[in-house]
Amino acid sequence: MEVVKEITNVEFGKMINAAANALKDNADKINKLNVFPVPDGDTGTNMTLSMASGAEYERNETDTKLGVLAQATAKGLLMGARGNSGVILSQIFRGFAAAVKDKEILTARDFADGLMGGAETAYKAVMKPTEGTILTVIREAAAAANKAAKASDNVVVVAEAAYNAAEKALATTPDLLPVLKEVGVVDSGGQGLVIVLEGFYAVLSGQEIQHEAIDNAGLEAMVQQLHNAGVQGALNPADIEFGYCTEMMVDLSNGTTWTEDFDYDTFYNHLVDMGDSLLVINDDEVVKVHVHTEHPGEVFEWGLKFGSLRKTKVDNMRNQQAEAAAAASAIRAQENIAETMMDVDTAVITVATGEGVKKLFKSAGATIVIDGEQAPSTADLVAAIEQSGAKKAILLPNDSNIFMAAEQAQGVAEVPVELVKSRTISQGLTALIVGFNPEGDLTENVTAMTEALGDVKSGSVTTSVRDTTLNGLEIHSGDAIGLLDGDIVVAEPDANIQQAAVALMHKMLDADSELVTIIYGADLTNEAAELLEAAVLEIDEDLEVEIHDGGQPLYPFLISVE
C-alpha cells in the first residue's frame, strides 16, 4: 500500500462527499434499526441530511486550508443538524474542526487528533452520555486512531484503524444497551458513524467508491439557488440577459462524439463566455453543468466534445419570470399580512404534522408551526425564530428527537430563546393551552408550560413495521400497536387499529381522568373516532371527549388524557 503522508484539501473534500453519499445510500438501512418497530424511524434520514449540509458548506468554501474546510463542514453540519443523531454527528465534526483549526494539511497525527477532539466534544454535548450509542463508537474509533498514529505516519493506516474499531464497537452496542439486545438491533446512530468512517477509509485507501461524487445531496439546492438568482419577482422578463437555464451531465471520455480529454480549466473557461450563474462539478467519470445562457445548443455541443450526454434540461426563464410577475402583487400582499400577524413579543415555535394538527396549534396560540414530517434542522428552527420577528421565543418541539437541534438553535439565534421539552403532540397542545400567556414573562411562561407537561398522558396508535419483542410483548410486522408516553403497551394482530385504541384507553384512564382528546389521522374518518368515543364512554360515562381531524400520517390515532 502506498504511504499517504497527508490529507490535502482534495482528499478531504472527497472524504466528506463520500461520507455524505454513503449515508444517503444507506439511509433506509439505518432507519430500520429504530428500537421501536414504528414507521417513523428516521435516524438514517436525519444523519444523511445533516451530513449533506456539511458537505455543501465544505464545497462552497474557497479557502483550501484544512482547518478552514473542517470549520466549514462543522458549521454546515450544525445548521443542517436534524434529530439527536444529526446533532451528535455535528458535535463530532465540531470537535474535529477545533482540533485541526490551524492546519494547512492533515498528517496521520493530525487526523487522529481530530477524531479524538470529536469524541471529546460529542461526549460533552450530551448531558447524560449513554454507552451503547454513537458515543461509544466515536470513542473507540478515536482511541484506535490515536494508537495507530503513534506507530505510523500513514493516514490510511489511521483511517483503517478507526473504521475497524468503529465496526467492533458497533457490534458491542447491544451488550451495553439492553433495549438494543431485546429487540435485536445495533445502535442506529453508531451504524451511521461507521458508514462515515468507512467512506473516509475508502477514499484514503484508493478504493473505488460506488457513488457519483457530483450527485451528493445539496447540489440540487445549489443549482436551484443559482437558478433563482435569474428569476426574481420584481424583474422585467425583457431585462434577463441570459434567458435559458441550461443543465447537462456528461459521461467523460465516452461515446461517438468524444474528441477531447477533459481538463477542468479549459472546460470551465469556455463556458464562462457563454453566460452566467455557472456551476461545473466533476469527478473522474462525470461532469455536471449548470449555466444561464442564450444558446443552450452550444453548451450541449461543447459537452459532446468531452463525452456523451447522459442528461440535459432547459428552462425558459423569461416565461417563468412572466408567470412569477403576474402573481407577485398577490404574494406581496400575503407577505404583508403575514408580517402583521408576526408582530408578537414572545413567539411560540412548534413542530407538528398533519394539517388539522397544525390548525390546532395555531388556534391554541402558536406563532409558527413547522412541518414535522421531517425533523427540522437547527437552521429551520433559527429561520422560524427570525421569521416571527419576535423579541424572544419559546421552542415547543413535541418530539424528544428534536431536543438537541432546538438546543443548538438556542445558541445560534440572536434573540433569547427557551425550550419547553414537550415529547408529544398532546403535551405540546396542553403546554400551549394551559401554560402560555402571550403577555407573560418568558421565564414565567416556560415554567408554567413545563409544569403543564405533567398534566397529560399521551397515547398513539400505529402499525408495527417488523417483528420484535419489547416490554414483554411479542410484536409482529403488521400488528396494531399502542404507545403510552413513549412505551409500547398494546399489540393487536392483523392491524386492528380500533381494538388497539380501545385497549390503549383501558391503560390510559384512571379515577382522576376528566378529559379525553382524540385526534384521528389521514387514514381514518370521523366515524372511526366516534366509535372510539363510544368505547371510552363505556369505560367511564362521566368523561368529556373531544374529537379533532388531525390529518396526521402514520399514526391513525393520537390520544390525550387529562
Side-chain angles (χ1 to χ4, degrees):
M1 181 184 295
E2 180 183 353
V3 175
V4 180
K5 294 282 188 180
E6 59 190 31
I7 299 172
T8 70
N9 62 303
V10 175
E11 285 83 21
F12 187 76
K14 289 179 178 179
M15 289 163 64
I16 296 301
N17 283 285
N21 275 312
L23 283 172
K24 178 185 66 177
D25 290 348
N26 288 279
D28 288 342
K29 170 186 174 181
I30 301 170
N31 286 341
K32 290 176 182 177
L33 295 175
N34 190 26
V35 169
F36 290 120
V38 294
D40 59 354
D42 56 3
T43 298
T45 303
N46 288 337
M47 293 186 79
T48 295
L49 294 173
S50 302
M51 193 70 204
S53 179
E56 184 175 352
Y57 272 60
E58 189 277 335
R59 285 194 304 269
N60 289 341
E61 177 55 60
T62 58
D63 196 320
T64 59
K65 292 190 288 292
L66 253 296
V68 176
L69 291 172
Q71 291 282 357
T73 304
K75 179 65 179 295
L77 271 155
L78 169 65
M79 298 309 294
R82 297 172 188 267
N84 295 339
S85 58
V87 173
I88 294 175
L89 187 64
S90 78
Q91 294 305 298
I92 291 171
F93 277 89
R94 177 187 169 204
F96 184 99
V100 304
K101 63 180 180 180
D102 297 322
K103 304 297 181 181
E104 297 277 343
I105 52 90
L106 297 186
T107 64
R109 179 70 265 163
D110 296 331
F111 184 44
D113 288 344
L115 292 175
M116 292 175 65
E120 182 179 357
T121 301
Y123 267 86
K124 288 180 179 178
V126 180
M127 184 174 296
K128 295 180 179 180
T130 302
E131 295 301 333
T133 65
I134 185 175
L135 296 175
T136 303
V137 176
I138 185 57
R139 188 193 67 235
E140 293 299 313
N146 183 47
K147 182 178 179 180
K150 292 178 179 179
S152 174
D153 62 355
N154 184 343
V155 296
V156 178
V157 171
V158 174
E160 182 178 21
Y163 166 51
N164 288 338
E167 277 202 314
K168 291 179 181 178
L170 179 66
T172 69
T173 56
D175 297 323
L176 298 172
L177 202 57
V179 69
L180 296 177
K181 177 169 283 189
E182 183 180 3
V183 300
V185 297
V186 295
D187 180 66
S188 55
Q191 177 67 79
L193 181 61
V194 168
I195 288 169
V196 169
L197 293 174
E198 181 184 18
F200 285 2
Y201 171 57
V203 168
L204 292 175
S205 60
Q207 296 178 34
E208 182 177 353
I209 307 296
Q210 300 299 322
H211 320 286
E212 293 179 4
I214 64 170
D215 191 28
N216 41 56
L219 177 58
E220 295 307 318
M222 295 167 63
V223 170
Q224 190 62 42
Q225 184 177 20
L226 287 170
H227 177 67
N228 289 343
V231 183
Q232 304 170 28
L235 188 63
N236 188 320
D239 293 333
I240 297 177
E241 183 178 2
F242 300 105
Y244 295 94
C245 178
T246 304
E247 297 177 40
M248 68 176 175
M249 185 178 290
V250 183
D251 287 318
L252 296 172
S253 304
N254 186 50
T256 59
T257 61
W258 167 40
T259 59
E260 297 188 30
D261 291 331
F262 181 80
D263 174 77
Y264 185 92
D265 291 337
T266 301
F267 188 87
Y268 184 96
N269 291 336
H270 181 82
L271 292 172
V272 165
D273 297 328
M274 298 181 64
D276 63 11
S277 297
L278 176 63
L279 176 68
V280 176
I281 301 177
N282 74 287
D283 62 11
D284 293 335
E285 299 179 352
V286 182
V287 61
K288 185 167 184 178
V289 174
H290 168 280
V291 64
H292 294 171
T293 182
E294 281 295 276
H295 304 287
E298 293 181 11
V299 174
F300 299 149
E301 287 293 332
W302 179 243
L304 285 168
K305 292 179 182 292
F306 297 86
S308 60
L309 300 185
R310 182 193 302 185
K311 177 182 177 182
T312 62
K313 182 172 180 281
V314 179
D315 290 321
N316 186 323
M317 294 192 297
R318 294 188 179 93
N319 289 350
Q320 291 177 330
Q321 183 59 34
E323 294 170 1
S329 59
I331 292 173
R332 284 195 294 271
Q334 292 175 357
E335 289 174 346
N336 290 336
I337 293 172
E339 288 175 3
T340 300
M341 293 176 64
M342 293 298 172
D343 185 18
V344 294
D345 182 69
T346 301
V348 176
I349 313 297
T350 193
V351 183
T353 305
E355 291 307 310
V357 178
K358 292 177 187 177
K359 288 178 181 177
L360 286 173
F361 274 104
K362 292 294 286 186
S363 64
T367 313
I368 294 177
V369 183
I370 300 173
D371 186 88
E373 190 164 350
Q374 173 59 52
S377 67
T378 303
D380 293 334
L381 295 169
V382 173
I385 294 167
E386 293 175 349
Q387 180 188 344
S388 74
K391 297 176 182 177
K392 44 190 178 290
I394 296 171
L395 297 179
L396 198 62
N398 308 324
D399 185 345
S400 61
N401 196 38
I402 303 174
F403 287 178
M404 293 187 74
E407 289 167 349
Q408 297 299 312
Q410 283 181 278
V412 175
E414 296 182 357
V415 299
V417 177
E418 293 292 341
L419 170 62
V420 174
K421 292 186 174 182
S422 54
R423 295 176 175 271
T424 65
I425 292 296
S426 300
Q427 281 192 337
L429 284 169
T430 298
L432 191 55
I433 294 169
V434 175
F436 180 64
N437 176 8
E439 307 300 325
D441 173 80
L442 182 62
T443 302
E444 293 174 352
N445 268 323
V446 170
T447 299
M449 293 172 75
T450 301
E451 289 177 352
L453 299 179
D455 295 339
V456 59
K457 295 178 183 178
S458 302
S460 59
V461 180
T462 187
T463 303
S464 173
V465 294
R466 70 167 190 273
D467 295 347
T468 191
T469 301
L470 191 62
N471 298 334
L473 291 173
E474 185 175 335
I475 302 169
H476 303 284
S477 178
D479 284 357
I481 52 178
L483 294 89
L484 172 56
D485 291 328
D487 291 325
I488 298 176
V489 295
V490 168
E492 293 288 337
D494 304 321
N496 195 320
I497 297 296
Q498 203 73 31
Q499 285 185 19
V502 173
L504 180 61
M505 291 307 317
H506 278 281
K507 293 183 177 295
M508 294 182 71
L509 295 171
D510 58 30
D512 296 326
S513 301
E514 297 178 355
L515 172 65
V516 176
T517 302
I518 300 169
I519 303 175
Y520 63 91
D523 295 330
L524 290 186
T525 63
N526 189 71
E527 287 73 18
E530 288 176 344
L531 286 175
L532 180 57
E533 177 187 21
V536 168
L537 293 176
E538 281 188 15
I539 298 171
D540 185 346
E541 62 181 10
D542 294 327
L543 289 169
E544 181 182 350
V545 181
E546 292 184 0
I547 294 176
H548 299 281
D549 179 1
Q552 71 274 5
L554 304 181
Y555 289 87
F557 283 122
L558 297 176
I559 305 165
S560 67
V561 175
E562 300 174 60

